[in-house]
Amino acid sequence: MFDWLKQFLPKGLYGRAALILILPILTIQLVVSVLFVQRYFTDVTQQMSRNIMPELRMIETELRGAASAEAGFAAAASRASGLGLVLTRQDEVQTEDGRVFYDFSGRVVIRTLREAFESLKGVDLSDLRTVRLSFDSPHGPYQLQFSRNRVTARNPHQLLVYMLATGALMTLVAFVFLRNQLRPIRRLAVAAEAFGKGRTVPYRIAGASEVRAAGAAFLDMRARIERQMEQRTQMLSGVSHDLRTPLTRLKLGLAMLGDGEEVQALERDVEDMRRMLDGFLAFARTDALEGDAEEVDPAELARRAVDDAHRMGRHVIFQGAVGEGVALWRAGAVRRALDNLISNAVTYGGMAEVSVAILEKSVRFTIEDDGPGIPEDKREEALKPFVRLVPGRNQDQGSGVGLGLAITADIARSHGGSLRLGESERLGGLKAELILAR
């Protein structure tokens, strides 16, 4: 039922923690302000307004009991002066109330005085320091003026100002503390994201005990993964290099036997074994890519791959790039992935088209061909190493050992991306999308 609210909430940990911090403070200040204004401040204003009522009634009684208007106003003015009031006669009675829009206590003053005096016709509080009351009497209208401090508390806003200032100061202190607590979490997230993209950034364990435990677990996990990758690479490289020696002896022995049909068949088998060993080495190198990540222009990288394919006599068309920008990649590995996809496309199809889309957080390379493609139910299996399973793309049409797509998928994963296979709507063959994080 609160799904609609989630789209307005912060997505990051820092924003959510700040919201958890600020929301209670604002709620407490709002509740205290409402209680202070409605209960304490309103009650005080009502009580002070009632305290001046006897003096106002005394002036009203003095005027009503006088025999003439001159005598009544003279006696009332003298008594008002002794009470700290200023009495003035008016030509006509004022019937409108006046106050500034933010004068909340003035509303209480007007309501309290009007309830007590029927002869009160107007209350002017437009001057925050003075109260002017307009009365009607048998001897004519008059006005009483006195200080505003007699009906409202002096500086009632001080509590609110102190409360807001203290809340702002405590919020600032809490923000500094919160930032220091969240900084190790953000560093851990950056290190984990970089490792997912095939980069290793320095990370030092810091923060609270829970964050330290998570950081230590991440470092252990990263060390185990790197150790497994190194062991796998060493094993494949060792096996491939060890097999090259007997393979070389076989080639020399076959060269000494002559050029018979059986010898030619054996030479083809030896050549297939050589290609398989080269594939093993290439597959092993995908987990041990040399060099550090560097800024690469994706469009220029794809254009160079297409140009090199042209020089090899392959029919490849570069469709251009959408968007612009650079990415932080291992250029050699990404180039190897593009070469594998282009080679795969022209091997099983007559032509290939290459396009690039540079997005905000990723880059998508699209390679399409006009070959037989791969059935949808076989595409996931086609990404596995040493797999050659599709009748339309079998060993008779290509010279690979089933490692091209697996190597490309490994390179994509090491750069925080993926390799997706689909059907080309324009050419009718396979569409391979190499998606890499920027």
Side-chain angles (χ1 to χ4, degrees):
M1 59 181 298
F2 294 103
D3 290 343
W4 62 272
L5 185 61
K6 293 181 180 178
Q7 58 183 336
F8 302 104
L9 296 178
K11 300 299 187 295
L13 179 61
Y14 192 85
R16 294 188 176 186
L19 183 64
I20 294 174
L21 171 67
I22 294 175
L23 191 60
I25 294 179
L26 292 179
T27 303
I28 292 174
Q29 290 187 345
L30 182 62
V31 171
V32 172
S33 301
V34 171
L35 292 177
F36 173 74
V37 171
Q38 288 189 348
R39 295 186 179 182
Y40 175 77
F41 188 56
T42 300
D43 293 344
V44 171
T45 303
Q46 288 177 346
Q47 183 63 39
M48 296 182 68
S49 299
R50 293 191 183 101
N51 290 340
I52 203 173
M53 288 180 185
E55 301 174 7
L56 300 178
R57 285 197 177 93
M58 188 179 297
I59 302 299
E60 184 182 29
T61 302
E62 191 76 30
L63 282 172
R64 290 181 179 276
S68 64
E70 289 74 9
F73 275 108
S78 176
R79 187 177 294 278
S81 178
L83 297 174
L85 306 176
V86 178
L87 175 65
T88 56
R89 299 182 67 176
Q90 290 182 313
D91 296 333
E92 58 181 14
V93 65
Q94 179 182 348
T95 59
E96 296 182 356
D97 299 331
R99 68 178 182 89
V100 293
F101 69 93
Y102 56 86
D103 186 7
F104 298 105
S105 61
R107 184 167 50 191
V108 179
V109 173
I110 294 174
R111 184 178 68 249
T112 303
L113 294 177
R114 280 192 172 279
E115 291 175 354
F117 297 95
E118 294 182 359
S119 60
L120 181 61
K121 302 303 180 181
V123 181
D124 184 11
L125 302 177
S126 56
D127 185 355
L128 296 178
R129 297 182 178 181
T130 305
V131 178
R132 297 181 178 87
L133 305 179
S134 297
F135 290 89
D136 192 14
S137 70
H139 300 296
Y142 65 94
Q143 184 185 78
L144 283 174
Q145 178 178 328
F146 53 89
S147 174
R148 177 68 180 269
N149 293 334
R150 300 186 65 176
V151 292
T152 57
R154 182 176 299 179
N155 298 329
H157 61 283
Q158 285 186 351
L159 175 62
L160 299 178
V161 172
Y162 289 148
M163 183 175 61
L164 291 176
T166 304
L169 179 61
M170 292 298 100
T171 301
L172 179 61
V173 173
F175 262 117
V176 174
F177 179 77
L178 180 65
R179 184 183 61 181
N180 292 335
Q181 294 301 312
L182 294 181
R183 187 178 300 165
I185 301 178
R186 298 181 65 180
R187 289 177 178 172
L188 176 60
V190 171
E193 183 180 5
F195 185 64
K197 295 179 180 179
R199 302 192 298 267
T200 301
V201 299
Y203 172 73
R204 180 176 59 86
I205 298 177
S209 58
E210 293 82 358
V211 181
R212 288 176 175 269
F218 166 73
L219 292 179
D220 292 341
M221 179 192 67
R222 186 171 70 177
R224 285 197 303 270
I225 293 176
E226 290 176 344
R227 187 165 55 251
Q228 291 174 357
M229 293 167 57
E230 183 180 0
Q231 291 174 352
R232 172 191 176 188
T233 302
Q234 292 177 351
M235 179 190 69
L236 291 176
S237 299
V239 171
S240 299
H241 282 95
D242 290 343
L243 289 178
R244 284 183 179 273
T245 300
L247 186 62
T248 303
R249 290 199 299 265
L250 286 175
K251 292 177 65 176
L252 291 176
L254 291 174
M256 297 175 62
L257 292 178
D259 295 330
E261 293 183 1
E262 294 182 358
V263 173
Q264 293 179 357
L266 291 175
E267 289 179 346
R268 287 195 298 268
D269 292 338
V270 171
E271 182 64 21
D272 290 341
M273 292 178 64
R274 186 193 62 79
R275 286 198 302 267
M276 292 177 66
L277 290 177
D278 292 340
F280 293 157
L281 290 175
F283 185 64
R285 284 196 300 269
T286 60
D287 286 337
L289 302 176
E290 297 180 357
D292 297 328
E294 58 182 337
E295 288 190 349
V296 179
D297 185 351
E300 182 62 25
L301 187 67
R303 187 178 294 108
R304 289 201 303 266
V306 172
D307 292 342
D308 291 344
H310 283 162
R311 285 195 293 269
M312 297 175 64
R314 295 171 174 174
H315 188 189
V316 184
I317 300 175
F318 183 60
Q319 296 291 343
V322 178
E324 57 183 9
V326 297
L328 194 62
W329 294 335
R330 291 186 175 91
V334 177
R335 175 60 188 272
R336 186 186 309 152
L338 290 176
D339 290 341
N340 285 346
L341 293 177
I342 293 175
S343 175
N344 188 71
V346 297
T347 298
Y348 298 104
M351 63 168 295
E353 293 183 353
V354 180
S355 60
V356 184
I358 304 175
L359 308 178
E360 181 180 358
K361 295 183 178 181
S362 63
V363 177
R364 183 176 67 246
F365 296 95
T366 303
I367 296 89
E368 303 179 68
D369 62 55
D370 58 351
I374 298 178
E376 184 176 357
D377 58 340
K378 300 292 185 179
R379 291 169 187 166
E380 184 175 353
E381 191 174 356
L383 298 179
K384 297 178 181 179
F386 315 111
V387 172
R388 293 172 306 197
L389 62 153
V390 184
R393 305 173 80 93
N394 55 30
Q395 189 177 2
D396 295 334
Q397 289 177 278
S399 58
V401 293
L403 287 173
L405 293 179
I407 292 174
T408 304
D410 273 2
I411 294 174
R413 283 191 292 268
S414 67
H415 287 79
S418 61
L419 175 62
R420 298 189 303 196
L421 303 180
E423 182 179 355
S424 174
E425 297 181 357
R426 294 196 319 106
L427 302 180
L430 181 69
K431 178 174 73 172
E433 290 181 325
L434 178 63
I435 303 174
L436 306 177
R438 294 185 62 180

